[in-house]
Amino acid sequence: MKSKQPKDLKRNQTTFKVVDNILNKWSCSLEEKTAILDISEAECSSNLEGGSGSKFADETLERMSYILNIYECLAVLHQNPENRFGFLRLKNHSRVFNGATPLAYIIEIGSTTALDNVYKYLDGARHY
């Protein structure tokens, strides 16, 4: 039986590049990217430069999944690119964010729970 690791690694690296493109559209700095994904700058650079890359921790894969889902929600909710790509940097006075930007909230909390809360907030808005 063949090992799935090389195929999984390639798929995960592709997913990482898609997530990086999303984070770029959200105007995230390298420091913000590494905080959101909870990875080192070296790990981020290695995967972006197309080197051998690294095997991502389950939590990093979960974080990437949340980013993809948040991106999808924003695409459904906002036709305007300024809102779609700028939402995470806009102050939000909902109970979840309490006047902070969603991006600041994600970085300050630093856990997958923060990403989950942003996703649930947006998902709830699109089904409202």
Side-chain angles (χ1 to χ4, degrees), residues 6 17-18 21 25 28-29 36 40 43 47 49 59 61 68 77 81 94 97 103 106 120 123-124 126:
K17 289 178 182 178
V18 170
N21 284 334
K25 288 179 181 184
C28 292
S29 67
I36 292 166
S40 69
E43 187 175 6
N47 282 286
E49 292 170 1
E59 184 178 324
L61 295 172
L68 294 169
L77 288 168
S94 74
F97 307 113
L103 181 61
I106 291 168
K120 286 178 180 173
D123 191 49
R126 79 175 172 169

Side-chain angles (χ1 to χ4, degrees), residues 49-104:
E49 292 170 1
S52 61
S54 60
K55 185 173 187 275
F56 293 105
D58 289 344
E59 184 178 324
T60 304
L61 295 172
E62 182 180 6
R63 288 169 181 266
M64 289 193 289
S65 177
Y66 277 120
I67 291 165
L68 294 169
N69 285 307
I70 290 167
Y71 182 78
E72 178 189 10
C73 286
L74 288 169
V76 169
L77 288 168
H78 301 291
Q79 303 306 310
N80 177 338
E82 289 175 8
N83 290 337
R84 183 181 313 150
F85 303 129
F87 170 82
L88 291 180
R89 294 194 176 275
L90 298 174
K91 287 186 179 182
N92 190 309
H93 295 284
S94 74
R95 203 172 64 215
V96 176
F97 307 113
N98 207 23
T101 67
L103 181 61

